[in-house]
Amino acid sequence: MKIAVSSQGPSAGDPFDQRFARAPYLLVYDTQSETWSSFDNTENREAQSGAGIGAATKVAELGASVVVTGRVGPKAEQALGAAGITVFLASADTAEGALQQYIDSK
């Protein structure tokens, strides 16, 4: 399974970003290989409109089935739901900490 986490930086130890669509980075954790991948979210973050839909589309393209973030706008929530992606709301200091909150909640 792949889990996308909103982050302020490109690594798991960087600060967790409460914003989904406007986060500087989307990190993807692969539970099978136990590895992280980093994706720059500048295109969506700087968009005048459609940031949520763009970020949701990117997460779907990356194959994530879960998004861990602090808040999701209504359009992003709708796009994620349509793609079958679950949203988990977290509050943590780091991206890795937010992922751990999701894992602990299961």
Side-chain angles (χ1 to χ4, degrees):
M1 170 172 41
K2 293 183 179 179
I3 303 165
V5 181
S6 53
S7 177
Q8 293 181 20
S11 70
D14 285 328
F16 175 61
D17 199 314
Q18 292 287 322
R19 305 164 299 169
F20 170 62
R22 303 286 180 184
Y25 290 88
L26 296 172
L27 306 183
V28 176
Y29 181 75
D30 186 320
T31 60
Q32 289 185 337
S33 64
E34 297 183 354
T35 58
W36 289 90
S37 301
S38 172
F39 301 92
D40 188 315
N41 193 40
T42 301
E43 181 179 342
N44 295 312
R45 183 176 67 148
E46 295 179 355
Q48 292 295 317
S49 63
I53 293 170
T57 300
K58 181 66 173 176
V59 167
E61 289 171 359
L62 296 171
S65 57
V66 175
V67 166
V68 178
T69 191
R71 55 180 188 269
V72 177
K75 291 179 183 175
E77 186 174 19
Q78 183 179 15
L80 290 166
I85 299 169
T86 302
V87 175
F88 178 83
L89 301 180
S91 177
D93 292 332
T94 64
E96 189 170 36
L99 174 69
Q100 192 61 52
Q101 283 182 0
Y102 170 73
I103 291 169
D104 291 346
S105 75
K106 292 175 95 175

